[in-house]
């Protein structure tokens, strides 16, 4: 069911960058908006098919002029230079409290002095800040003429983003890792409210098989390539679930051996079944939070994760999994060997219990408390 508040309602409006899929950030918005069922959702653009059958389907949705731009739903990042202008055109005058869910420009909405703006930040814009050079390299823009246009656009975006950061009254981060990045980037402190994970839909099987599992979008920063290389060489069994532009390259990396299985995208119930049966879950990305490792723990699976980012906050070394120090094959292989040598110490019930602290109900309770406190403080001024 989830937490329900009984305090006097306030007029709340939600803002989210864009909705062209239903992934982690959209699930956060859905869980938060569930507490304010009459609140409308403002966004740059959205695909109605992306939220069909989800809790967001029942909210009134307002969009910006980008909704009507050619190809915006399929290639929304082409319009990144226009997004600061577009987000500032959203009309939020009717709301007493504005809650933005931001991984790009949403926190830059314009509000009045008598309004409260609470911003839940999934990450400062990585491609404009700490992954700026990586983004240019990955896009093949580092030394090209088009690259200079991209650099100019991202310079403008950083300048706008730094200025827009001052428009937020209360920052909320999805992890301590992101809170530190907010402080570094915007020189602002942030409260931490971990995002909601649907831990209740996972069940731990008594019998586990001998295969390891990873679940991720197959994009470069997820480092699934590292996992596949390590397991292809070691001969250990690995199941990979996920789709994305890196799938073809991963098939080549896996080679002709039968120990690495790439299943592509799978329905949620299939993912849950594999998490419940796998020997351990492997995670090599440096994530802001990382929902998949928590889901795996909810299914009773120990997690072997790269020890940077959100994994340091969700995996307890020696109790719910192990962390490895470097994003390379040797470090990962050492961690897998260490896990196998100490496998019996990982208690399924302890792992499942640990995952429960990241539930939807806990998120809703903590987030409503932040919004309520921010509104009370403004009302008392």
């Amino acid at each position: 069911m989830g937490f329900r508040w009984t305090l006097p309602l306030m007029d709340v409006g939600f803002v989210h960058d864009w909705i062209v899929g239903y992934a982690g950030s959209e699930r956060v918005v859905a869980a938060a908006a569930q507490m304010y069922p009459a609140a409308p959702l403002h966004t740059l653009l959205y695909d109605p098919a992306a939220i069909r059958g989800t809790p967001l389907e029942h909210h009134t949705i307002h969009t910006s002029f980008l909704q009507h731009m050619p190809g915006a739903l399929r290639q929304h990042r082409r319009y990144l230079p226009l997004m600061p202008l577009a987000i500032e055109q959203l009309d939020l005058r009717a709301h007493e409290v504005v809650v933005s869910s931001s991984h790009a420009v949403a926190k830059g909405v314009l509000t009045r002095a008598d309004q409260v703006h609470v911003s839940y930040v999934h990450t400062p814009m990585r491609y404009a800040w700490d992954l700026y050079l990586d983004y240019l390299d990955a896009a093949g823009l580092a030394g090209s003429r088009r690259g200079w246009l991209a650099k100019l656009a991202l310079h403008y975006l950083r300048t706008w983003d730094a200025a827009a950061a001052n428009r937020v009254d209360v920052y909320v981060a999805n992890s301590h890792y992101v809170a530190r990045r907010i402080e570094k980037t915007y020189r602002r402190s942030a409260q931490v409210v971990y995002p909601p994970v649907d831990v209740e839909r996972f069940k731990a099987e008594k019998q586990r098989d001998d295969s390891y599992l990873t679940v991720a979008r197959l994009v470069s920063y997820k480092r699934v390539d590292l996992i596949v290389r390590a397991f292809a060489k070691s001969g250990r069994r690995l199941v990979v679930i996920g789709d994305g532009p890196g799938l073809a390259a991963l098939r080549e990396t896996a080679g002709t051996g039968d120990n690495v299985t790439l299943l592509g995208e799978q329905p949620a119930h299939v993912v849950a079944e594999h998490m419940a049966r796998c020997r351990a879950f492997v995670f090599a990305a440096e994530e802001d939070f990382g929902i998949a490792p928590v889901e795996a723990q909810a299914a009773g699976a120990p997690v072997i994760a790269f020890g940077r980012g959100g994994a340091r906050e969700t995996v307890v070394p020696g109790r719910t999994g192990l962390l490895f120090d470097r994003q390379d094959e040797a470090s990962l292989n050492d961690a897998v060997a260490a896990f196998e040598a100490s496998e019996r110490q990982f208690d399924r019930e302890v792992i499942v219990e640990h995952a429960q602290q990241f539930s939807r109900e806990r998120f809703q309770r903590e987030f409503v408390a932040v919004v309520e406190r921010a509104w009370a403080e403004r009302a008392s001024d």
Side-chain angles (χ1 to χ4, degrees):
M1 288 214 14
F3 171 71
R4 295 290 178 184
W5 72 339
T6 57
L7 299 171
L9 295 177
M10 60 193 77
D11 192 315
V12 177
F14 285 86
V15 182
H16 188 58
D17 294 296
W18 54 75
I19 305 174
V20 295
Y22 193 71
S25 62
E26 287 76 29
R27 293 178 188 276
V28 170
V29 175
Q34 187 180 13
M35 310 310 299
Y36 309 92
L41 175 60
H42 304 260
T43 187
L44 293 177
L45 51 90
Y46 92 107
D47 180 357
I51 60 171
R52 192 169 296 130
T54 76
L56 293 180
E57 184 179 29
H58 306 295
H59 288 263
T60 300
I61 297 181
H62 302 287
T63 59
S64 74
F65 64 82
L66 292 183
Q67 181 74 19
H68 310 290
M69 301 294 279
L73 290 183
R74 295 186 306 277
Q75 296 179 307
H76 59 280
R77 293 189 187 276
R78 287 175 48 191
Y79 293 98
L80 191 61
L82 290 177
M83 288 182 181
L85 173 64
I87 205 73
E88 292 176 347
Q89 308 313 306
L90 297 180
D91 187 354
L92 305 170
R93 290 175 292 178
H95 308 303
E96 296 170 306
V97 177
V98 173
V99 176
S100 64
S101 161
S102 185
H103 54 75
V105 298
K107 70 180 178 306
V109 292
L110 300 179
T111 56
R112 300 186 309 270
D114 63 326
Q115 293 174 297
V116 175
H117 180 185
V118 177
S119 186
Y120 190 95
V121 176
H122 307 277
T123 176
M125 282 187 284
R126 282 187 168 275
Y127 40 85
W129 294 101
D130 52 329
L131 288 185
Y132 164 64
L133 295 177
D134 300 86
Y135 166 76
L136 292 175
D137 287 341
L141 297 173
S144 67
R145 183 174 300 177
R146 284 194 311 126
W148 283 106
L149 293 176
K151 291 174 184 178
L152 181 62
L154 291 171
H155 172 74
Y156 154 71
L157 195 59
R158 276 193 299 276
T159 302
W160 176 87
D161 193 44
N166 293 316
R167 301 172 187 174
V168 175
D169 295 306
V170 176
Y171 273 104
V172 184
N174 66 356
S175 66
H176 292 281
Y177 174 66
V178 167
R180 289 191 293 272
R181 293 178 56 231
I182 290 171
E183 185 174 15
K184 171 71 174 179
T185 305
Y186 304 132
R187 302 302 180 187
R188 296 285 301 276
S189 61
Q191 304 175 53
V192 175
V193 176
Y194 290 123
V197 181
D198 292 328
V199 294
E200 66 280 352
R201 76 180 178 89
F202 296 91
K203 304 298 180 184
E205 296 287 347
K206 292 183 179 179
Q207 186 65 39
R208 309 194 78 89
D209 59 32
D210 65 345
S211 63
Y212 292 83
L213 174 70
T214 191
V215 179
R217 285 185 297 115
L218 304 183
V219 293
S220 59
Y221 84 93
K222 295 287 187 178
R223 297 311 314 269
V224 179
D225 61 318
L226 165 62
I227 300 172
V228 170
R229 281 199 308 273
F231 277 80
K233 293 176 182 178
S234 71
R236 295 183 175 97
R237 291 185 60 199
L238 173 70
V239 174
V240 179
I241 296 179
D243 199 359
L247 180 58
L250 286 177
R251 292 195 189 281
E252 289 188 18
T253 302
T256 57
D258 60 0
N259 65 302
V260 176
T261 304
L262 283 77
L263 296 181
E265 188 172 1
Q266 295 293 320
H269 74 275
V270 174
V271 174
E273 289 171 5
H274 278 276
M275 286 182 169
R277 296 199 314 265
C278 69
R279 187 172 184 179
F281 186 85
V282 185
F283 190 73
E286 182 180 343
E287 282 279 21
D288 302 311
F289 175 74
I291 287 178
V294 177
E295 292 177 334
Q297 290 172 86
V303 173
I304 302 170
F306 178 49
R308 294 272 306 268
R312 292 180 62 87
E313 301 173 48
T314 61
V315 179
V316 183
R319 295 192 68 226
T320 71
L322 294 175
L323 301 176
F324 57 96
D325 296 331
R326 302 181 309 279
Q327 278 181 317
D328 59 38
E329 294 175 46
S331 187
L332 173 55
N333 283 328
D334 288 346
V336 174
F339 165 74
E340 292 177 349
S342 59
E343 190 169 359
R344 291 188 178 182
Q345 77 181 50
F346 296 100
D347 186 292
R348 182 175 63 252
E349 293 182 2
V350 170
I351 296 172
V352 171
E353 182 180 1
H354 170 72
Q356 302 311 304
Q357 66 180 296
F358 301 102
S359 70
R360 170 185 289 259
E361 180 177 349
R362 183 271 323 156
F363 165 80
Q364 291 175 326
R365 181 176 62 252
E366 292 181 2
F367 189 72
V368 164
V370 171
V371 174
E372 163 82 7
R373 186 163 55 249
W375 173 243
E377 290 174 356
R378 176 55 51 88
S380 66
D381 288 345

